Amino acid sequence: DTEVTQTPKHLVMGMTNKKSLKCEQHMGHRAMYWYKQKAKKPPELMFVYSYEKLSINESVPSRFSPECPNSSLLNLHLHALQPEDSALYLCASSQGLAGPYEQYFGPGTRLTVT
Amino acid sequence: GEDVEQSLFLSVREGDSSVINCTYTDSSSTYLYWYKQEPGAGLQLLTYIFSNMDMKQDQRLTVLLNKKDKHLSLRIADTQTGDSAIYFCAEKVTGGGNKLTFGTGTQLKVEL
């Protein structure tokens, strides 16, 4: 099973709303990632968790708040977003951080901020 | 900084071979990956190559790496309409955790 699942598939939210994106994997992977992808552009790394601890924060604005409640789950809490935050948000996981550990991606959540 | 460049667009006829190219600048790359992204979907890992290898073959896919020129290519044999997608190369560098730097992406269109 090499599946990473993400919910919801689509999300529309206003600039004053609070919402959360959810990611789940059952591959026993110990590293999980959030990426943001704009149309026709490559994914941009936002956060990396390793063994449930935040390992990398790519200077992401505080209106994005990641959480890793256990080794299988990764959340991204959203608050006071801007229209330019509309994008496809991708979650990925890998066995670890060192070595050739391939990252497996979920299908993404398409977020629209109105 | 790290820059990974790809040509934007490639069009081939069904049954022909496709070659997608990628150039990178960071000489401390350890692994290089190819991902496929279909419209509205996430990224699908196709294959990867360790930086001390020159070539890797996996069914219809052949990856060539020229480390001296920092050039990576993906050849898809007998290209099918289902291969139409955006293809991203990505590099992982020494000491970067598992951070990937993605290329700009190449849109492959397969015509009948």
Side-chain angles (χ1 to χ4, degrees), chain B residues 4 10 16-17 22 29-30 32 51 53 57 63 66 88 91 108-109:
Chain B
V4 185
L10 176 65
D16 287 350
S17 292
C22 171
S29 295
T30 55
L32 295 130
S51 59
M53 296 169 64
Q57 187 153 3
V63 178
N66 181 328
F88 291 99
E91 65 169 343
L108 174 64
K109 182 178 178 184

Side-chain angles (χ1 to χ4, degrees), chain B residues 19-34:
Chain B
V19 179
I20 302 170
N21 295 302
C22 171
T23 55
Y24 58 97
T25 56
D26 198 315
S27 58
S28 63
S29 295
T30 55
Y31 297 93
L32 295 130
Y33 304 82
W34 283 104

Side-chain angles (χ1 to χ4, degrees), chain A residues 18-19 46-47 57-66 76-82 85:
Chain A
K18 284 185 181 181
K19 296 285 184 183
M46 300 174 72
F47 302 104
N57 176 343
E58 291 286 289
S59 303
V60 178
S62 59
R63 58 186 185 268
F64 296 91
S65 175
L76 186 63
H77 303 297
L78 314 172
H79 174 54
L81 295 193
Q82 304 297 309
D85 296 322

Side-chain angles (χ1 to χ4, degrees), chain A residues 9 31 33 35 37 40-45 48 56 58 88 90 94 96-108 110, chain B residues 8 30-31 33 35 37 39-45 47-48 50 86 88-89 92 96-105 107:
Chain A
K9 196 172 173 63
Y33 312 76
Y35 288 85
Q37 187 181 27
K40 306 285 189 189
K41 297 290 185 186
E44 298 171 12
L45 182 66
V48 180
I56 296 176
E58 291 286 289
L88 182 68
L90 293 163
S94 67
L97 295 186
Y101 296 134
E102 310 96 283
Q103 293 183 28
Y104 292 91
F105 283 79
R110 184 155 307 278
Chain B
L8 282 178
T30 55
Y31 297 93
Y33 304 82
Y35 284 88
Q37 187 174 33
L43 275 71
Q44 176 193 350
L45 176 67
T47 187
Y48 71 90
F50 186 40
I86 298 177
F88 291 99
C89 62
K92 175 181 171 179
N98 203 12
K99 181 178 174 182
L100 297 179
T101 299
F102 284 88
T104 46
Q107 178 147 14

